[in-house]
Amino acid sequence: MSAKKRVAILISGRGSNMEALIGAASQPGFPAEIVGVFSNKPDAKGLETAAAAGIATASRSHRDFDSREAFDAAIEEQLAAWNAGLVCHAGFMRILSEGFTSRWAGKMLNIHPSLLPSFRGLHTHRAALDAGVKLHGCTVHFVTPELDGGPAIIQAAVPVMAGDNEDTLSARVLEQEHRIYPKALEWVASGAVRYEDGKVTGPQRANPSPALVSPAL
Ligand code: GRF
């Protein structure tokens, strides 16, 4: 078997997606290992979780840097120190400079809590409820300079139910985030899925269920 890909995770908070990735990577045969977790918030809860799992952690506040580029350089220094070959954003609340995203093209993944390209940016569950959509969900995509604009690797859709609020809807989506992010990382780390000319390539298994209909017929 070829060597496992060395993955760094960038977080800003709770870190439940990070935990899902750590859990998957701890399984024998998974093609990636988590070599470090970086946060721009020194008090991020996820840092404690990562350390408890025996994973190296680092944090630098973006407030201590004069420019986005200077902060990004500090992140890249840390990634180099960990010899990371892939980067997973998991609730990382900073926008990266174009130079950084270009250098990591095809090697940086993000999870976004909506069915992109709907509802980019923040407060996606509120936006979905306000828009009245009947299906919502989450997307794992390659990171490109365009915010939440990179090509999708995998998406999961969930029904929006009558009476949903942001909490109930986000919990339903989060459950799916934890399922699809490890799978996307597995595919990218193994080379089954690749980023080429701004598109995602690789064999895909068709989902045999014809459709998710909401509300039910
Ligand atoms: C998730 O909903 C993720 O999709 C979004 O931020 C949230 C982070 O949650 N980017 P967690 O820190 O992974 O628990």
Side-chain angles (χ1 to χ4, degrees), residues 13-18 90-91 111-113 174 177:
R14 176 176 62 179
S16 70
N17 278 291
M18 172 206 78
I111 182 135
H112 183 76
L174 192 66
E177 295 184 32

Side-chain angles (χ1 to χ4, degrees), residues 135-207:
L135 292 170
H136 183 44
C138 47
T139 305
V140 181
H141 64 95
F142 282 112
V143 175
T144 63
E146 192 186 346
L147 184 65
D148 300 327
I153 299 165
I154 185 170
Q155 298 187 297
V158 302
V160 179
M161 295 180 188
D164 263 340
N165 56 40
E166 277 179 89
D167 290 341
T168 57
L169 186 54
S170 68
R172 194 172 310 123
V173 172
L174 192 66
E175 207 180 314
Q176 300 308 314
E177 295 184 32
H178 297 162
R179 293 179 67 207
I180 67 171
Y181 208 176
K183 194 41 94 175
L185 176 58
E186 182 186 327
W187 288 340
V188 173
S190 69
V193 159
R194 286 185 311 281
Y195 176 82
E196 273 171 23
D197 299 328
K199 294 216 162 22
V200 172
T201 63
Q204 308 213 332
R205 282 197 307 144
N207 185 332

